[in-house]
Amino acid sequence: MWRPPTPPSLREQAVRAYITGEVLCDAGKVAQGIASFKAASSLAWELDGEVWPAWARELHALLLSGDPVETAAPMLVGDDVRALHPQLAALRGACPTLATREWWRSPDAVAAVATSLRRRHFAVVDGFAGASAAVRLRGACKAASLHLRPAADRSRTDARSDQVCWDPDGFGELSARTDAIVRLLRAADCPALAAVVGRQKPMLSRYAAGDFFRRHVDNDCAPAGAWDASADGGCLRLYGPQCATADSSEEDEEEEAVGVGRRRCADAQADIAPVADRLVLFLADQRCPHEVLPILRPATQRFALTIWYTDASPVPEFWATSGTHDGTLVPLDGEACDMPGSISGM
């Protein structure tokens, strides 16, 4: 069951109270220690569980060490993705026919994306469709605008304000490409995608000035270079895991190959600008809560096409009964069918 995470402003106070409880219990003052534990869990409900999320474990270790606690701002990923993914950027730059060649199919590129999904639970792939295809997709977005309707029903207007439509014309080529990269990742032994068997139909979203989609999980575009991520808003903000996840013992060895790692003790991990021809893959459950920040630029439109890849579990009840969500599934290697499915990948 999804619960809103503890606000970052309360986390240090909560973990300090928990540490006080540990000290009191070690000193034989058990009743006072239990009271301190209860105070900690009243501030941060996550501390009441047997397994803590990453931010709690890291903050606990940091406070015990006596090192200062610094609040890290999320990395801003604008037009240049090199700081986030130096290896992917180098592989793309080495492609001689960048406009047409599917550079991301190379084993090295697939391995780098799989590593990023395992370590950070997201990856950003620029130049995914090619410049010419990106222009066509922008035209398809504008053409589909006639079919858009509010994404939120009246009870959820405080959660999101974008407009959506399902399976619009003009996106078949892009869907085929995303199918291809998911197959490659699955074949490359990417654990998060091992059980994926199909996907939902594409959903197009449009965000106008002031529109947003608040932080959430999905399971219980301007021309390239024309979007100023700082001034125009509309970034996809990706957060650290809300649930416990396995830590990789190879993180330090992989750091140089895949770029910056997950930001320790930070809540928000990255703000991804809505750059044309950019693919963002992320695990849309509690491993990677996310939101779309408000659009700040007047009289503009931000388009995004979302495709959820699923395993064979039952569709979440909310999705099955929602009047604005098309839960029809497409098997990864065939035509549309009526098989059940739930969010397991992106």
Side-chain angles (χ1 to χ4, degrees), residues 26-78:
D26 289 342
K29 301 177 181 179
V30 177
Q32 293 172 274
I34 291 175
S36 191
F37 288 145
K38 289 182 177 179
S41 60
S42 70
L43 291 169
W45 61 267
E46 297 93 338
L47 303 186
D48 197 33
E50 293 184 5
V51 182
W52 288 359
W55 68 261
R57 300 195 308 272
E58 293 163 3
L59 189 54
H60 184 268
L62 191 64
L63 291 173
L64 285 178
S65 71
D67 293 334
V69 177
E70 299 178 357
T71 302
M75 168 181 279
L76 180 60
V77 183

Side-chain angles (χ1 to χ4, degrees), residues 102-104 125-130 174 177-178 181 277-279:
E102 296 175 337
W103 65 271
W104 43 265
V125 182
D126 279 351
F128 180 66
L174 182 61
R177 284 174 177 264
T178 59
I181 196 170
D277 199 18
R278 168 170 286 173
L279 173 72

